[in-house]
Amino acid sequence: MTAPVLEASFALNVALLLMLVVLAAAVVWTRSLLAAILLMSVYSLVSATWLMVMDAPDVAFTEAVVGAGISTIVALGAILLTRGEAVRVSWKRQVVPGLLAGLVGGLLIYAMSGLPDFGDPASPANSHVGRAYLETAKRDIGAPNVVTAVLGSYRGFDTLGETVVILAACIGVALMLGFGPRATLAPPAGAPGDHHVVLRVTAKMLVPLIILFALYVQFHGDLGAGGGFQAGVIAAVAIILHALVFGLRETTAAIPPQAARAVAALGVVVYAGVGIVCIVNGGGFLDYDHLLTPQIEAMIPAGLLGDPDKPHHWGQYFGILAIELGVLMTVSATMITIFYGFAGRTIDAIAAELRR
Amino acid sequence: MLIVAGVAGLIVAMSLMIVRAVLGPSHYDRILAANSFGTKTVLLIALMGYLFGRPAFLDIALVYALINFVTTIALMKFFRYRSLARPLAVAGGEDGADG
Amino acid sequence: MADALFWIGGGLIVAGAMLSVLGAAGVLRFPDVYTRIHAASLTDTGGATLMLLGMGLLGPFGLITLKLLLVWAFIMLTSPAAANALANAAFGSGHRPRIGNFQIMGEDKATDAAPESAGKERA
């Protein structure tokens, strides 16, 4: 990078961090929880942009789809079950939490002085395991995106744990809020001039496009930023858009809550199943080099991915593809189930109100 | 140099949008500011791809545009109807008679 | 040739950024929701068009151009739809414009007797 680009990146850092501070202060200051949710969504967008300036596109991707997208919608669903205003607390009850928060903040600032500089080549992250991954990923795994190689193959067991955690979150939310709608209501009584034809037409065009884009993100993950997690969230966002515009009844007719549940569990089965197949074929758990038997590997044409002269790691390639599919299934189905839980619950609340 | 000027302009516009999002006064003003802020973020990320020589940023710009739209619709629907589950009416009052 | 393209593209990017700043100033200064929506949605689509066109002239022709076209199509599709839905929802929930005469179908009086604009005279 040349000097003006570095200066511009520094100025961008300062501007974005200032925006973050202002937004965080506004979130604390506002009494309306709805405004706080909206500002948090903007906060996520800014922090994702900032991660992009720090050259971490995979993290920025996740922050954008999860922080600005899904958590905003889930927080809105949570607000439906409670009040929209923060309660005023007397200052006496704020002293101890304030002191605690100040103490932790002070400790964090103190600890920050011990961190290595940004981009320091001698820092532990750059000198030990990180460098080893960067040096060996191309030779061992053959995936151009090192992040995907680390998450999917080197740390495949950790990622399996994360997938199980997501399934656990799905089960927890579903147990508390129910698996989906228990009652349905007609569309709201329209006020004069209250029609959404434009929105319905746009949504009808967008839903398939978004799912197509999710598939692109899924299969592009070993080349660039993206992967099963982000693709799953994007696919779930498409379904949520459909539910928002056409109503939960229509969406559950297309994707029943039972199906979503089943797919969420099936994703973990696919992921763990790849590991079991590796064991059966004589390797360790999730050791993709043993995923395919030599007979099957001999049947794959060498030019399947273009260049036939390059050495290929077909086991690694198909292993990462399969576990990403499992992650996609679990993540998208979990997000849909959580949305069904929150949105279906509100129908219940409204129905109860009407009965009263 | 011109790209840096474009980035600076977008940053100024985003800051003004944050002021409107914080001030309100109504929730629709806030949603409007958040939506417009999101569009400017998309442009900023695309420009940053050119500034840093990383054209792969365009994929992420596309994701931002998409998430921004869905979030706007969710917020709008929530503030207007207090529900995430009801369908949006096709025409005023016509099919909402029993609702 | 390449030099001319660079200057044209850069100029378009700066023009788009200026349009965005103007729109943001409008969002900050205009009196009610509807005028603000007008300012934001027009300058969003216009600024995006100018900037993405400029980027297309700057960058190498090919896959990047296609992606820029996709981003542009997406913004042109979603931004007006969101603005329309927003104005619709604001009107349905009782906000009335502060500027100009208007009449609601089915209502006899053309006023701005809205909770939001109470106490403010029509300009």
Side-chain angles (χ1 to χ4, degrees), chain A residues 145-208:
Chain A
N145 186 0
V146 181
V147 177
T148 306
V150 171
L151 288 183
S153 186
Y154 287 122
R155 298 281 177 90
F157 195 60
D158 290 6
T159 310
L160 174 63
E162 283 161 23
T163 315
V164 173
V165 166
I166 291 167
L167 180 66
C170 169
I171 295 170
V173 170
L175 284 180
M176 287 209 306
L177 295 177
F179 282 98
R182 300 175 197 151
T184 43
L185 275 185
D194 193 15
H195 63 93
H196 289 284
V197 177
V198 174
L199 205 53
R200 290 176 79 103
V201 172
T202 314
K204 207 175 276 183
M205 285 162 73
L206 279 181
V207 168

Side-chain angles (χ1 to χ4, degrees), chain B residues 5-90:
Chain B
V7 169
L10 281 178
I11 290 281
V12 170
M14 284 160 76
S15 314
L16 295 178
M17 284 298 174
I18 286 183
V19 173
R20 178 48 74 200
V22 171
L23 289 183
S26 76
H27 283 317
Y28 296 102
D29 290 302
R30 293 179 204 272
I31 305 176
L32 171 71
N35 183 26
S36 189
F37 185 91
T39 313
K40 284 168 182 56
T41 317
V42 173
L43 295 177
L44 178 68
I45 288 176
L47 262 188
M48 264 159 50
Y50 277 84
L51 191 62
F52 299 141
R54 295 281 300 268
F57 281 18
L58 281 175
D59 289 350
I60 296 164
L62 204 55
V63 171
Y64 278 43
L66 175 168
I67 292 291
N68 184 34
F69 176 68
V70 177
T71 312
T72 304
I73 297 305
L75 287 164
M76 184 280 291
K77 190 179 171 191
F78 182 84
F79 289 140
R80 175 73 183 87
Y81 301 112
R82 298 278 146 175
S83 159
L84 293 175
R86 294 165 160 198
L88 294 176
V90 178

